Amino acid sequence: MNSARRAVIVGGGPAGTVAALVLARRGVRAIVLEGRLGPSTKAGECLPPSVTLLLARLGLEQLLTQDGHLRSRGHRFVWGSPRPGERPFFAGVRGDGWHVDRRLFEARLAERAQAAGVDFRWGTRLDRCIREGERFHLELTDPGGARITETTDFVADATGRAASVARRLGVQRVRYDRLVGVAARLESPTPTTDTYTLVEATPDGWWYSALLADGALAVAFMTDADLMDRGLAHGEADAAREAFLRALREAPETRERIEGHGYRLATPPQPQRAETSRLTSVTGAGWLAVGDAAAAYDPLSSHGIGSAMGSGYYAGHAIADHLAHRPDALPTYVAVLQNAYGAYLDLQRQHYRTEHRFPGAPFWERRRMPLYCLDPIEARSSVTSTTLPPTLDPCLP
Ligand SMILES: Cc1cc2nc3c(=O)[nH]c(=O)nc-3n(C[C@H](O)[C@H](O)[C@H](O)COP(=O)(O)OP(=O)(O)OC[C@H]3O[C@@H](n4cnc5c(N)ncnc54)[C@H](O)[C@@H]3O)c2cc1C
């Protein structure tokens, strides 16, 4: 490995870890700084069948089969009509989807990166990022709480929607909505065996529920931050539980799935950002952003993890090419991301418009506005943008 070529990746989620893995395979010394002390669970567990193509390209097919993650047969949806519809995956050509144990999935990904030579540092948090000439000076807190520093010629921002590096470099983030996901794990002594992901629209948003391999149900209520019940927003566990169950009354299919199988909340419902948003620039001199940090997807699309890994794949190659003095490396990366995100925004707009019920409900009226997913909230009054052509790239579903 040519250690003169070196990059620091801040954030060890799917995007940062795949970028680091690709870099290590390209002979670049890759350091991942991950703030969590070790693998932990995150909201987001449904992978569409297309992810298997990407994992095959990365030589990581076993990631899905080795730990007993659950195969999912398709989507069931209550959307546009009170009658449930089904979209089985067998109608597609790529086989089953997957419901993964997120903690295990990310742990294995990190192990594979380490085996390829990545210096993966759990419990190491970026506090400040300062540009000094052509280099970056990173101020960090290590797992023992000590303040340390790191200097690098190239830094990748893989910190998720927080985009901690890019924001510290002064880059703006724009949003297309204010979606939040209130996610919880539910457990039952008599779990369901139905592996379909259930998606159900309600007046204030929509619900999804997905069975996991251990019989638990991952359930999330997706709504807009300003429409969220105060009980959900203010972080008190009992109030959040009550508000979550109150909101569930509007979702009869999801409620039946939960109550019919005796599921109970095992974790307090936790709101987290889930908006469609992106940075206004995803690269600059000596840096790039990858995964949710660069451009984040509505969970309705099931694109988050796959796109994070797909952009990680391209980011790894772009950084390696850039460090090898190829001037087209970063512009090509930007074009790939723009292409994929433009296609996503188009689909997103169309998808929300297939729900015609709930007239007057703010959640849905906002998504029926002419400029929804065309212009960011921050620019709707002044700028008109064009959409980009759809992508055919299997790495960015
Ligand atoms: C409620 C909800 C449901 C979802 N459901 C799905 C789904 O079903 N399917 C799907 O594909 N996607 C889903 N997603 C989206 C998916 O989880 C994300 O798209 C995916 O995690 C993005 O990966 P990433 O690596 O870009 O970011 P992340 O997974 O967010 O990883 C970023 C990492 O950076 C670390 N970090 C942040 N700041 C710092 C710092 N200063 N220093 C060091 N480390 C730092 C964090 O600890 C984190 O591990 C869902 C999201 C939500 C909120």
Side-chain angles (χ1 to χ4, degrees):
M1 187 175 290
N2 176 0
S3 58
R5 295 198 297 137
R6 179 175 176 279
V8 172
I9 292 130
V10 186
T17 309
V18 167
L21 177 68
V22 170
L23 279 167
R25 288 177 179 167
R26 292 275 310 262
V28 176
R29 180 156 181 248
I31 300 168
V32 173
L33 309 174
E34 167 52 51
R36 292 173 296 153
L37 287 169
S40 56
T41 199
K42 286 180 184 169
E45 46 293 300
C46 306
L47 299 181
S50 57
V51 164
T52 51
L53 275 182
L54 171 62
L55 289 173
R57 186 177 287 195
L58 289 164
L60 297 174
E61 303 91 322
Q62 287 168 357
L63 230 54
L64 291 174
T65 48
Q66 74 184 118
D67 289 316
H69 300 296
L70 191 75
R71 287 175 184 273
S72 166
R73 293 288 141 84
H75 285 118
R76 184 167 301 115
F77 48 89
V78 186
W79 191 278
S81 154
R83 257 185 315 122
E86 275 187 6
R87 199 175 304 125
F89 288 137
F90 65 69
V93 291
R94 292 170 184 158
D96 293 328
W98 295 84
H99 292 171
V100 297
D101 174 326
R102 195 65 192 273
R103 187 189 63 77
L104 261 182
F105 185 76
E106 291 198 11
R108 293 280 185 253
L109 204 51
E111 284 167 18
R112 293 296 292 264
Q114 283 168 319
V118 171
D119 178 0
F120 197 107
R121 302 182 190 168
W122 290 104
T124 308
R125 185 155 198 89
L126 175 83
D127 299 319
R128 294 182 73 199
C129 172
I130 302 156
R131 191 197 294 273
E132 288 177 344
E134 296 199 340
R135 311 206 79 198
F136 294 93
H137 181 76
L138 310 179
E139 293 182 6
L140 314 170
T141 304
D142 80 2
R147 308 298 287 271
I148 53 173
T149 59
E150 185 73 53
T151 305
T152 182
D153 291 340
F154 201 98
V155 61
D157 186 344
T159 59
R161 282 182 168 86
S164 303
V165 177
R167 277 194 10 248
R168 284 174 170 88
L169 295 174
V171 181
Q172 302 291 313
R173 192 166 186 91
V174 291
R175 297 166 300 164
Y176 293 85
D177 55 45
R178 297 182 177 84
L179 193 72
V180 285
V182 186
R185 176 183 161 92
L186 287 84
E187 293 175 354
S188 162
T190 53
T192 177
T193 52
D194 174 8
T195 68
Y196 276 63
T197 308
L198 174 62
V199 174
E200 182 169 17
T202 66
D204 289 332
W206 54 274
W207 290 74
Y208 83 76
S209 56
L211 178 66
L212 302 177
D214 64 359
L217 262 191
V219 179
F221 173 44
M222 313 300 302
T223 187
D224 283 341
D226 59 324
L227 303 177
M228 196 167 39
D229 186 296
R230 289 168 65 87
L232 291 172
H234 291 296
E236 205 271 305
D238 286 342
R241 278 196 180 88
E242 274 173 35
F244 190 78
L245 297 174
R246 218 170 24 248
L248 183 62
R249 289 187 204 136
E250 299 280 0
E253 291 292 323
T254 308
R255 189 176 176 188
E256 170 56 27
R257 190 177 210 196
I258 291 171
E259 294 179 358
H261 290 273
Y263 278 101
R264 294 262 184 281
L265 279 164
T267 57
Q270 293 278 0
Q272 40 205 292
R273 290 172 60 183
E275 85 286 346
T276 291
S277 61
R278 63 172 172 83
L279 291 173
T280 51
S281 306
V282 294
T283 64
W287 70 273
L288 63 68
V290 59
D292 276 9
Y297 294 74
D298 185 323
L300 185 61
S301 68
S302 286
H303 278 1
I305 301 166
S307 289
M309 292 194 296
S311 68
Y313 170 84
Y314 284 111
H317 284 295
I319 297 168
D321 288 344
H322 173 81
L323 294 176
H325 306 293
R326 282 192 50 185
D328 58 340
L330 298 185
T332 303
Y333 174 72
V334 172
V336 168
L337 257 58
Q338 280 183 340
N339 189 23
Y341 205 63
Y344 155 74
L345 290 174
D346 272 352
L347 280 176
Q348 181 71 1
R349 199 170 57 252
Q350 288 166 26
H351 200 148
Y352 272 110
R353 286 184 185 175
T354 59
E355 176 53 272
H356 302 288
R357 297 175 296 163
F358 319 123
F363 182 88
W364 297 99
E365 292 301 335
R366 288 168 184 174
R367 286 159 176 80
R368 290 172 191 141
M369 303 262 285
L371 292 181
Y372 174 64
C373 273
L374 277 179
D375 282 338
I377 291 173
E378 291 81 359
R380 271 183 203 163
S381 54
S382 55
V383 186
T384 307
S385 71
T386 51
T387 51
L388 292 155
T391 180
L392 297 174
D393 193 321
C395 279
L396 288 164

